Amino acid sequence: MVAGTFGCWFRVGGARPAVAGRVFSIIPTVVQTSMSRSQIALLGLGLLLMLLLYVGLPGPPEQTAWLWGDPNVTILAGLTPGNSPIFYREVLPLHRARRVEVVLLHGKAFNSHTWEQLGTLQLLARRGYRAVALDLPGFGNSAPSKEAITEAGRAELLERVLRDLEVRNAVLVSPSLSGHYALPFLMRHHHQLHGFVPIAPASTQNYTQEQFWAVKTPTLILYGELDRVLARESLRQLRHLPNHSVVKLHDAGHACYLHKPKDFHLVLLTFLDHLP
């Protein structure tokens, strides 16, 4: 177990925790004033022995899961193993698990906590999806990593994280800055993805039309109507993906999922529910 500086316990690696505890019942004792001094002394000694025994008992195990927001959804947090650990938050499906699993990246001003605050993690769990939100290197609770310097290194880092967390049939949600990770991964490992949801991602200009054509992954291109720079630039390139649909969220800016969360969640769930 590792204690985070932010006051929570989290687990390292992919093992899932079980939280248990011990309940101690303290029963008040009534001492009558008619007792003799020897009886009172013996009673006092007995209470002292009980106190020492109580203090010597092992405490409850360290807490490895805690509740946020929806009281029915447990959000786990942890670090992937290895020399460049990545912090993540994870929810498991509340009901019958669906086939795909959702991996949520983030933009420059955000981290994995954004998807918790927005309620996306909780919503996906209620809908039957396992979901994992990552802190990219240098953001949130993930330390900077030398792997992130190169395009190949970023793709390998993301591939390793998915492998360490045993993510199967991944659908990758990639807003803004996270395109620097998602697009290199898409170009090299798109056969590992069951779906792709780019939200005005960065670095689309680094790839050719032919490279996009080669990717057959079902793709939902999302962007905000008021994002007139990165959204338009990325859309020009992403339209070359052969198996894509496009959704524009009205009256929403670059972080359209924050400006129109209900619309964003509806569109995302519709896409996920209809994947083969």
Side-chain angles (χ1 to χ4, degrees), residues 47-60:
L47 291 174
L48 178 61
L49 289 173
M50 290 178 62
L51 177 62
L52 291 174
L53 179 62
Y54 174 79
V55 172
L57 288 173

Side-chain angles (χ1 to χ4, degrees), residues 10-269:
F10 54 91
R11 60 189 173 97
V12 177
R16 292 191 171 80
V19 179
R22 180 180 285 108
V23 178
F24 296 96
S25 177
I26 300 175
I27 304 174
T29 302
V30 178
V31 180
Q32 296 181 356
T33 56
S34 60
M35 294 176 65
S36 67
R37 290 184 178 180
S38 61
Q39 288 175 317
I40 292 175
L42 288 173
L43 179 61
L45 180 60
L47 291 174
L48 178 61
L49 289 173
M50 290 178 62
L51 177 62
L52 291 174
L53 179 62
Y54 174 79
V55 172
L57 288 173
E62 296 170 350
Q63 185 174 345
T64 56
W66 57 94
L67 295 178
W68 302 93
D70 189 324
N72 296 318
V73 177
T74 299
I75 295 186
L76 307 172
L79 287 170
T80 60
N83 295 327
S84 299
I86 296 297
F87 180 87
Y88 65 92
R89 302 170 198 266
E90 176 185 6
V91 292
L92 303 178
L94 288 185
H95 311 292
R96 182 179 62 85
R98 294 177 183 263
R99 183 182 180 193
V100 302
E101 301 178 350
V102 184
V103 178
L104 299 151
L105 307 183
H106 61 81
K108 185 176 182 179
F110 309 105
N111 54 48
S112 64
H113 189 48
T114 302
W115 300 113
E116 178 189 322
Q117 293 176 309
L118 200 62
T120 308
L121 287 171
Q122 297 90 324
L123 182 63
L124 289 169
R126 291 198 302 270
R127 194 67 165 239
Y129 293 101
R130 179 194 179 199
V132 179
L134 305 179
D135 281 355
L136 295 173
F139 293 87
N141 296 298
S142 293
S145 170
K146 292 182 179 179
E147 286 181 279
I149 296 175
T150 66
E151 178 182 292
R154 292 190 294 271
E156 174 58 29
L157 183 146
L158 191 52
E159 196 276 334
R160 173 174 53 81
V161 169
L162 298 189
R163 183 176 65 249
D164 289 342
L165 295 178
E166 299 181 357
V167 175
R168 302 285 185 266
N169 299 315
V171 174
L172 191 60
V173 179
S174 173
S176 193
L177 167 115
S178 68
H180 291 300
Y181 291 82
L183 286 166
F185 182 87
L186 180 73
M187 296 301 168
R188 291 167 170 80
H189 306 292
H190 56 84
H191 57 280
Q192 297 184 28
L193 292 179
H194 211 67
F196 181 46
V197 185
I199 308 172
S203 84
T204 54
Q205 73 281 0
N206 295 338
Y207 304 97
T208 66
Q209 180 174 317
E210 289 72 23
Q211 286 175 295
F212 282 107
W213 276 344
V215 176
K216 309 303 181 184
T217 305
T219 300
L220 169 64
I221 303 171
L222 262 174
Y223 71 99
E225 177 185 28
L226 305 179
D227 184 358
R228 308 188 191 284
V229 182
L230 191 52
R232 294 185 179 183
E233 177 185 307
S234 61
L235 182 61
R236 281 196 297 270
Q237 295 295 95
L238 293 171
R239 283 187 182 277
H240 298 305
L241 291 167
N243 187 11
H244 79 267
S245 57
V246 179
V247 174
K248 174 172 66 177
L249 298 186
H250 294 284
D251 298 321
H254 181 59
C256 58
Y257 45 92
L258 291 181
H259 303 148
K260 294 289 184 177
K262 290 184 179 180
D263 293 344
F264 166 74
H265 286 146
L266 177 62
V267 172
L268 177 63
L269 289 175

